[in-house]
Amino acid sequence: MESFLFETPRQALTTISTGLRKINRKCHYCGGTVKEADVDHFLPHSMYPRDLMHNFVLSHPACNRSKSDTLAAKPHLIRWLEFMDTHDNDLKEIGREAGINADASTTLAVASWGYSNALGSGGQAWVESAQYELIESTYLELWA
C-alpha cells in the first residue's frame, strides 16, 4: 500500500529521466557522461519520502548505489544548488509533465533541515565510493 501511495510511478520516472537528459547528460556526482542513468533523490528518500521535482538528479547506477541513502558531500551540494537555480523553469516543466510537485522552496527547506540535523549529530556526507567527509558548519553557509 505504501509503495502505491508514495513511490514515483514508473511512467513519471521515465518522463523525469527524459527531461533531465535534455538539460544535462552527465552524472550529477562523478560528472561522467551517462548512457544508462538512474533518477536519484539528491536528498535521500529515507530522509524525506515525498517526491519533489527539484530533488531529482541523474546519476550513474554505480554512483547512485554507492551514495545510497546518505547526504551528498559539499561539492555535490553546491552543484545541486546551482543546478536548481539555473534550471528552475525546466524542472517545473518536467515536474508538470511527470505529475510531480516542483517546489524549490520546500526542497531547499528540507535540505537545510537535513544538513542541519546531520551537523548536529556528527553526520557524514558521501564524497564518492567508500569515501565520506564530516558535515561541517560551512555546509550551512550555502543557505545564508
Side-chain angles (χ1 to χ4, degrees):
M1 177 77 151
E2 182 162 332
S3 66
F4 172 75
L5 292 174
F6 301 116
E7 286 185 8
T8 306
R10 194 169 294 279
Q11 181 60 38
L13 285 175
T14 300
T15 302
I16 293 167
S17 178
T18 300
L20 290 174
R21 284 171 182 266
K22 289 178 183 176
I23 296 171
N24 186 1
R25 298 187 62 85
K26 296 191 181 290
C27 174
H28 180 78
Y29 303 110
C30 73
T33 302
V34 291
K35 290 185 175 89
E36 280 190 50
D38 285 350
V39 175
D40 182 41
H41 291 87
F42 181 78
L43 302 168
H45 189 262
S46 61
M47 180 173 63
Y48 189 77
R50 301 297 182 259
D51 289 329
L52 297 170
M53 186 60 222
H54 288 76
N55 190 34
F56 289 119
V57 296
L58 283 182
S59 70
H60 286 120
C63 290
N64 186 16
R65 305 295 178 276
S66 178
K67 176 182 167 279
S68 187
D69 65 348
T70 59
L71 290 169
K74 194 172 183 180
H76 308 305
L77 175 59
I78 290 169
R79 196 166 36 259
W80 177 68
L81 291 168
E82 290 170 352
F83 178 78
M84 284 199 330
D85 185 51
T86 302
H87 298 289
D88 181 54
N89 289 331
D90 296 323
L91 294 169
K92 287 176 183 174
E93 178 61 23
I94 296 165
R96 187 190 62 71
E97 291 174 13
I100 301 293
N101 188 13
D103 185 348
S105 62
T106 298
T107 308
L108 289 170
V110 171
S112 177
W113 167 82
Y115 280 94
S116 293
N117 283 332
L119 173 65
S121 65
Q124 294 187 333
W126 180 85
V127 177
E128 61 185 12
S129 183
Q131 185 179 349
Y132 297 83
E133 67 182 22
L134 192 63
I135 294 177
E136 299 175 340
S137 61
T138 58
Y139 277 68
L140 304 184
E141 293 169 5
L142 297 172
W143 281 273

